[in-house]
């Protein structure tokens, strides 16, 4: 009997072991697969937020929602239409729904449909279209286009909005170039309507790409759609305000640790997250405020907490909170996106994202882990503890990155649109696309053109990051506009002085004179090659063309009448090697705001203050030739060429816009002011009042295109060591500068 009992116990234990083994055999691979999927999707073990194995579906597709609440507001016909319009092209990717052959002949060109009479268009959408039409991507010929953008306003697809465009489905289908949306880009900020707020646009987008705000990761088509931020109608078209981080204070803590102020939704989508914020609010360093007081009939739905919440809400000023908080909560609203996102970025308040399932703006190129905290709505109560645990060095790094991203990609409609187009262009270029480092570090992808190079070391901004130095030689480019009639002309003396520099690799004489090229024997013999080339169309902008003959990183730009000694050239180049992203040179000018005329002014007065170094005697990186030629619009370069003036101002605007820094002035000899303009064909130009008035006009035209004044004032002047010291001249390396 005892043996029988033992046998039964052993049999039961064996059965249990087999069962456990079987269950483990089912679960372990599943867990392993879950870890694999997380790592593939960018999961980082060091992130403070747990990742659940069950995916959230905050906005479920209609074909997956059979609950009474969802189907209460939609008819069977509407349900079929939604399924058709949202999901017909859900499998679209660049290789299946984009015709690359349209981009091969003319490059990445964008065509905007002509606006139709009687069609209303919002100011925001007009800003988008104006940005495209003013960009270097624009073409008015659909036969040259690689990408097409509708003139029909698709931004607001909320049927209750006054901006809603009716009958869009028919209007789009009747477009002769529509082709089922192939190679089309559709911009959208709002989709769906109360109370469900789906992502339906109300028409069949076919194979078109979406540049959409508040798009969910479920409906986002990777490497096809572009997630854009939600921006208000007041968002500036160009320029935009700088970020609010004025001082990199250590420690970087502010008055509040975490703040939020916004609407609380009593019914419908978006209510759960904001309804729970009062559990975290402590009225001290965590201030999370919501109000029920919005909408016409809010009092019908008010709950027991509304009066208390409304009273607390009115105690605080939102801007004061925003500018004095370390972290800003960005919870979902009715839709996944929120205006709070851009507001936090600009204020250098680290966004704490609390919108599960939102595909973050420009997620394809931006590493948001370096500028935001990605939270989880299911772990709301853990947020204060989590943000308090972040080290102050990390906080400062996050805040600095918010400022870079804001100014590089989000501060204006123009930057949002151009970033969208650049992302699509990178896909079209494929092998010539920008690296993640280019997109996520200064000056950003808009200024690091992949057509120039795919190697970071070819750009002046990345030398420090890579730990490399520029090539230790320069190419001199002398701009010649006067005929060569005498051997005593300044250009010949300049050529000899530059050629003697130990850093000179070659000299290019750009012949922009109407007279024929002089014979070779007219040029002096030098120890470095002298290449004489004719300027393209004899226009001023040709001096900044990216000539293939320029093989060095540094370009020494010179006017034909510039008077420089070999020592001055050497010193300027040694200074530039420490500041390769800036313009370094001699003749300095400044700008100022004329409050009486309400416009920018230009001055050549010699003061301690300057904001420009003219390219008549300056060194800069050759990449700026490529950027000047390919980034700036034709309208600005045409203005320069027609006036035969202002090209030096435009180059300074461009470099300062890229670097956010002033140029660098180096010490000049005492006689420079008197000799530079003397006995030359240009002397009369500088004395001509029309010439000066033209430069004033240029300043304001350029500032208008850049969306603001990019020039930065400086009082820094770099002198050779011992320049003014009362020591023997023999002890000075650049002794000729002081002798003259």
């Amino acid at each position: 009997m005892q043996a029988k009992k033992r046998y039964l116990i052993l049999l039961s234990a064996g059965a249990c072991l087999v069962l456990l083994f079987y269950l483990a055999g089912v679960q372990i691979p599943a867990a392993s697969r879950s870890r694999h999927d997380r790592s593939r999707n960018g999961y980082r073990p060091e992130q403070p937020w747990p990742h659940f194995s069950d995916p959230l579906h905050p906005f479920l597709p209609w074909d997956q929602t059979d609950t009474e609440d969802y189907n209460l507001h939609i008819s069977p016909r509407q349900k079929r239409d939604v399924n058709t319009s949202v999901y017909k092209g859900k499998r679209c990717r660049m290789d299946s729904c984009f015709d690359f052959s349209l981009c091969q002949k003319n490059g990445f060109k964008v065509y905007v449909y002509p606006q139709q009479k009687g069609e209303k268009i919002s100011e925001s959408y007009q800003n988008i279209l104006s940005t495209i039409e003013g960009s270097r991507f624009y073409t008015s010929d659909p036969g040259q286009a690689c990408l097409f953008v509708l003139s029909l306003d698709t931004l607001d697809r909320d049927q209750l909005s006054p901006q809603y465009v009716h009958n869009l489905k028919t209007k789009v289908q009747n477009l002769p170039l529509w082709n089922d949306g192939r190679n089309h880009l559709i911009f959208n900020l709002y989709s769906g309507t109360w109370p469900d707020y789906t992502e339906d646009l109300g028409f069949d987008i076919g194979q078109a790409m979406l540049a959409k705000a508040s798009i969910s990761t479920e409906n986002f088509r990777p490497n096809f759609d572009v997630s854009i931020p939600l921006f208000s109608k007041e968002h500036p078209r160009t320029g935009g305000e700088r970020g609010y981080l004025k001082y990199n204070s250590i420690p970087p803590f502010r008055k509040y640790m975490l703040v939020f102020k916004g609407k609380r939704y009593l019914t419908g989508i978006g209510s759960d997250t904001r309804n729970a914020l009062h559990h975290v609010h402590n009225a001290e360093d965590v201030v999370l405020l919501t109000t029920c007081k919005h909408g016409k009939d809010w009092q019908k739905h008010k709950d027991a907490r509304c009066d208390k919440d409304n009273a607390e809400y009115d105690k605080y000023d939102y801007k004061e909170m925003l500018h004095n908080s370390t972290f800003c909560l960005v919870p979902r609203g009715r839709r996944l996106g929120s205006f709070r996102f851009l507001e936090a970025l600009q204020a250098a308040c680290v966004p704490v994202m609390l919108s599960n399932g939102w595909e973050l703006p420009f997620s394809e190129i931006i590493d948001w882990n370096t500028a935001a905290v990605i939270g989880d709505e299911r772990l709301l109560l853990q947020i204060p503890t989590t943000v308090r645990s972040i080290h102050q060095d990390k906080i400062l790094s996050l805040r600095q990155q918010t400022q870079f991203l804001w100014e590089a990609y989000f501060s204006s409609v123009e930057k949002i649109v151009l970033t969208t187009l650049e992302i699509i262009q990178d896909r079209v270029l494929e092998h010539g696309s920008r690296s993640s480092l280019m997109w996520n570090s200064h000056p950003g992808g808009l200024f690091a053109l992949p057509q120039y190079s795919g190697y970071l070391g070819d750009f002046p901004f990345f030398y420090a990051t890579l730990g490399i130095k520029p090539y230790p030689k320069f190419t001199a480019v002398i701009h010649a506009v006067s005929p060569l009639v005498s051997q005593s002309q300044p250009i010949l003396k300049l050529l000899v002085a530059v050629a003697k520099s130990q850093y000179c690799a070659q000299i290019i004489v750009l012949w922009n004179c109407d007279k024929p090229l002089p014979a070779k024997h007219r040029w002096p013999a030098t120890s470095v090659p002298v290449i004489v080339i004719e300027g393209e169309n004899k226009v001023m902008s040709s001096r900044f063309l990216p000539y293939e003959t320029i093989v060095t990183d540094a370009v020494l730009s010179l006017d034909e009448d510039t008077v420089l000694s070999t020592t001055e050239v050497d010193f300027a180049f040694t200074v530039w090697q420490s500041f390769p992203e800036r313009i370094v040179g001699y003749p300095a000018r400044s700008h100022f705001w004329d409050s009486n005329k309400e416009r920018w002014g230009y001055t050549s007065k010699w003061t301690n203050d300057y904001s420009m170094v003219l390219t008549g005697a300056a060194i800069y990186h050759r990449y700026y030739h490529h950027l000047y030629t390919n980034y700036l619009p034709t309208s600005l370069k045409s203005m320069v060429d027609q006036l035969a003036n202002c090209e030096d101002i435009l180059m300074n605007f461009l470099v300062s816009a890229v670097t956010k820094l002033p140029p660098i002035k180096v010490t000049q000899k005492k006689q420079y002011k008197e000799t530079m303009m003397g006995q030359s064909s240009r002397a009369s130009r500088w004395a001509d009042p029309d010439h000066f008035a033209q430069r004033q006009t240029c300043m304001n035209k350029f500032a208008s295109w850049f969306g603001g004044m990019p020039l930065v004032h400086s009082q820094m002047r770099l002198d050779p060591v011992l320049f003014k010291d009362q020591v023997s001249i023999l002890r000075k390396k650049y002794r000729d500068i002081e002798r003259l």
Side-chain angles (χ1 to χ4, degrees):
M1 189 69 183
Q2 294 296 328
K4 193 173 183 179
K5 285 183 179 180
R6 285 197 298 270
Y7 175 76
L8 288 172
I9 292 170
L10 287 172
L11 185 63
S12 300
C16 290
L17 286 172
V18 170
L19 182 61
L20 287 172
F21 179 77
Y22 172 76
L23 290 174
V26 172
Q27 292 172 350
I28 289 171
S32 174
R33 182 171 63 252
S34 175
R35 285 194 297 271
H36 172 72
D37 290 344
R38 292 175 192 172
S39 62
R40 184 177 59 196
N41 292 327
Y43 173 76
R44 298 289 185 271
E46 67 271 17
Q47 288 181 345
W49 300 103
H51 285 251
F52 296 95
S53 58
D54 57 311
L56 283 184
H57 300 286
F59 292 102
L60 293 175
W62 288 112
D63 56 355
Q64 296 179 21
T65 54
D66 297 322
T67 64
E68 184 179 348
D69 289 340
Y70 273 97
N71 289 305
L72 181 65
H73 309 292
I74 187 167
S75 68
R77 181 177 179 180
Q78 288 175 317
K79 185 174 179 179
R80 286 195 301 273
D81 289 344
V82 168
N83 281 329
T84 301
S85 61
V86 175
Y87 298 104
K88 183 178 179 181
K90 188 162 185 176
R91 296 187 181 276
C92 270
R93 298 297 183 268
M94 292 296 287
D95 56 354
S96 60
C97 294
F98 192 88
D99 186 356
F100 287 89
S101 66
L102 297 181
C103 312
Q104 291 173 355
K105 186 176 180 181
N106 300 296
F108 187 73
K109 294 294 181 182
V110 185
Y111 174 76
V112 177
Y113 283 82
Q115 294 186 24
Q116 301 175 13
K117 289 184 179 179
E119 288 292 345
K120 62 180 181 180
I121 186 167
S122 64
E123 183 180 352
S124 294
Y125 197 59
Q126 184 59 62
N127 287 340
I128 289 175
L129 299 184
S130 298
T131 294
I132 298 173
E133 291 169 350
S135 74
R136 68 184 188 280
F137 301 118
Y138 177 69
T139 178
S140 58
D141 181 2
Q144 295 183 354
C146 167
L147 190 68
F148 299 81
V149 175
L150 303 179
S151 62
L152 297 165
D153 192 342
T154 57
L155 278 191
D156 194 339
R157 302 305 298 155
D158 184 338
Q159 294 180 27
L160 299 180
S161 170
Q163 304 291 345
Y164 182 80
V165 177
H166 295 273
N167 303 318
L168 197 55
K169 181 177 180 181
T170 304
K171 292 172 182 177
V172 169
Q173 294 296 333
N174 289 336
L175 294 172
L177 302 172
W178 176 242
N179 190 25
D180 195 32
R182 202 169 181 84
N183 287 51
H184 280 66
L185 177 65
I186 295 171
F187 287 90
N188 175 255
L189 292 181
Y190 308 96
S191 61
T193 192
W194 187 89
D196 303 307
Y197 298 98
T198 69
E199 295 188 34
D200 174 37
L201 301 189
F203 69 99
D204 182 7
I205 66 170
Q207 300 179 44
M209 291 181 282
L210 280 175
K212 180 170 171 46
S214 303
I215 191 168
S216 66
T217 54
E218 183 180 1
N219 290 330
F220 179 76
R221 295 167 294 182
N223 297 312
F224 192 70
D225 293 332
V226 179
S227 177
I228 62 174
L230 182 65
F231 59 88
S232 68
K233 61 182 179 180
E234 289 82 21
H235 206 56
R237 187 177 78 83
T238 60
E241 293 183 31
R242 300 279 306 261
Y244 297 148
L245 182 61
K246 304 301 181 186
Y247 306 103
N248 291 328
S249 55
I250 299 291
F253 301 118
R254 293 175 168 180
K255 179 179 178 181
Y256 304 108
M257 175 58 69
L258 179 69
V259 301
F260 171 76
K261 189 176 184 184
K263 298 174 183 176
R264 178 159 70 87
Y265 304 108
L266 299 169
T267 60
I269 287 176
S271 60
D272 291 345
T273 304
R274 297 195 182 188
N275 272 346
L277 295 183
H278 74 280
H279 293 297
V280 184
H281 170 75
N282 64 14
E284 294 176 1
D285 64 338
V286 177
V287 180
L288 306 180
L289 309 168
T290 57
T291 180
C292 310
K293 201 184 297 182
H294 58 87
K296 295 180 180 178
D297 55 351
W298 69 271
Q299 289 186 331
K300 294 180 182 178
H301 303 286
K302 66 183 292 188
D303 56 23
R305 235 181 48 242
C306 277
D307 291 336
K308 181 181 178 182
D309 285 356
N310 292 343
E312 188 79 354
Y313 184 91
D314 293 336
K315 290 180 183 178
Y316 294 83
D317 178 79
Y318 176 60
K319 285 191 175 181
E320 189 270 337
M321 290 169 58
L322 194 66
H323 295 177
N324 290 284
S325 181
T326 305
F327 296 93
C328 284
L329 199 66
V330 184
R332 73 169 73 229
R334 289 295 196 190
R335 300 174 177 88
L336 287 169
S338 167
F339 292 122
R340 298 293 179 265
F341 177 68
L342 289 186
E343 291 167 353
L345 274 187
Q346 183 181 12
C349 186
V350 180
V352 178
M353 313 306 300
L354 206 64
S355 184
N356 291 24
W358 180 23
E359 187 72 26
L360 294 183
F362 303 140
S363 54
E364 187 173 333
I365 59 164
I366 293 177
D367 180 5
W368 283 110
N369 289 318
T370 64
V373 176
I374 315 299
D376 191 307
E377 291 173 287
R378 294 168 294 188
L379 300 175
L380 172 64
L381 299 181
Q382 294 184 20
I383 286 179
T385 304
T386 301
V387 296
R388 285 192 180 100
S389 69
I390 299 175
H391 192 272
Q392 63 183 31
D393 292 346
K394 178 65 174 177
I395 292 173
L396 181 58
S397 174
L398 290 166
R399 289 178 62 191
Q400 288 172 332
Q401 192 69 355
T402 64
Q403 301 303 272
F404 160 67
L405 294 175
W406 164 258
E407 293 179 12
Y409 307 121
F410 296 105
S411 63
S412 67
V413 175
E414 178 187 55
K415 288 178 181 175
I416 293 171
V417 172
L418 291 180
T419 303
T420 302
L421 296 181
E422 293 279 6
I423 289 172
I424 298 172
Q425 182 190 220
D426 269 13
R427 299 172 188 165
V428 173
L429 292 174
E430 293 185 277
H431 300 299
S433 61
R434 278 153 281 217
S435 68
S436 177
L437 181 60
M438 288 181 176
W439 285 111
N440 289 279
S441 58
H442 183 78
L446 298 187
F447 288 122
L449 303 188
Q451 295 89 341
Y452 176 72
S453 176
Y455 172 54
L456 292 175
D458 287 336
F459 296 86
F461 335 111
F462 303 116
Y463 288 144
T465 303
L466 299 176
I468 62 176
K469 294 182 178 180
Y471 184 71
K473 296 276 186 179
F474 67 79
T475 296
V477 178
I478 303 177
H479 186 229
V481 294
S482 305
L484 196 61
V485 295
S486 167
Q487 292 299 309
S488 62
Q489 283 181 237
I491 187 173
L492 299 180
K493 296 178 180 178
L494 177 64
L495 200 151
V496 171
V498 172
K500 289 181 180 178
S501 170
Q502 59 181 312
Y503 305 112
C504 183
Q506 60 180 351
I507 298 174
I508 296 174
V509 177
L510 179 62
W511 192 255
N512 262 355
C513 178
D514 294 331
K515 302 295 182 181
L517 284 171
K520 286 186 178 180
H521 71 271
R522 300 288 302 277
W523 301 102
T526 59
S527 58
V528 298
V530 176
I531 305 166
V532 183
I533 57 178
E534 288 203 70
E536 188 175 303
N537 301 322
K538 309 289 187 182
V539 294
M540 295 299 288
S541 290
S542 64
R543 72 185 299 178
F544 297 138
L545 285 172
Y547 295 104
E548 291 184 0
T549 46
I550 300 176
V551 295
T552 60
D553 293 330
V555 175
L556 171 60
S557 177
L558 298 164
D559 286 338
E560 61 178 7
D561 55 353
T562 297
V563 181
L564 283 179
S565 67
T566 304
T567 302
E568 288 171 305
V569 171
D570 284 350
F571 177 61
F573 181 71
T574 58
V575 170
W576 177 85
Q577 287 180 299
S578 297
F579 304 94
E581 76 280 11
R582 302 206 221 177
I583 297 177
V584 175
Y586 289 97
R589 299 290 184 268
S590 190
H591 74 283
F592 64 94
W593 177 253
D594 189 332
S595 55
N596 293 326
K597 297 180 180 179
E598 293 190 339
R599 65 173 189 171
W600 294 105
Y602 170 89
T603 177
S604 58
K605 292 181 178 179
W606 282 48
T607 65
N608 288 331
D609 190 275
Y610 67 92
S611 58
M612 290 172 277
V613 167
L614 304 187
T615 54
I619 302 177
Y620 49 79
H621 197 280
R622 66 172 174 171
Y623 175 60
Y624 292 123
H625 276 199
H626 182 88
L627 209 56
Y628 184 100
T629 303
N630 296 291
Y631 176 81
L632 294 175
T634 304
S635 59
L636 295 189
K637 291 179 287 188
S638 297
M639 178 184 181
V640 164
D641 295 337
Q642 289 170 7
L643 295 175
N645 194 358
C646 304
E647 82 288 352
D648 47 0
I649 298 178
L650 183 54
M651 179 59 91
N652 272 270
F653 267 68
L654 177 62
V655 177
S656 289
V658 172
T659 62
K660 305 290 192 297
L661 296 168
I664 292 178
K665 176 176 170 54
V666 290
T667 295
Q668 59 199 47
K669 59 190 178 185
K670 298 173 183 177
Q671 298 173 349
Y672 186 86
K673 182 180 179 182
E674 291 77 19
T675 58
M676 181 180 173
M677 310 304 174
Q679 301 177 5
S680 76
S681 60
R682 293 176 68 244
S684 58
R685 285 178 59 202
W686 292 102
D688 184 1
D690 288 340
H691 176 83
F692 193 81
Q694 286 175 354
R695 293 173 81 78
Q696 299 266 22
T697 302
C698 288
M699 292 279 292
N700 290 277
K701 180 73 173 179
F702 298 162
S704 175
W705 185 83
F706 278 92
M709 175 52 71
L711 297 178
V712 182
H713 284 283
S714 176
Q715 293 186 351
M716 182 173 76
R717 185 190 70 183
L718 295 186
D719 300 336
V721 177
L722 305 177
F723 176 62
K724 293 286 186 180
D725 289 5
Q726 298 299 317
V727 297
S728 169
I729 195 72
L730 297 176
R731 292 179 58 188
K732 300 184 178 184
K733 183 175 181 180
Y734 301 100
R735 55 182 72 103
D736 287 347
I737 293 179
E738 186 159 352
R739 269 188 183 145
L740 295 173

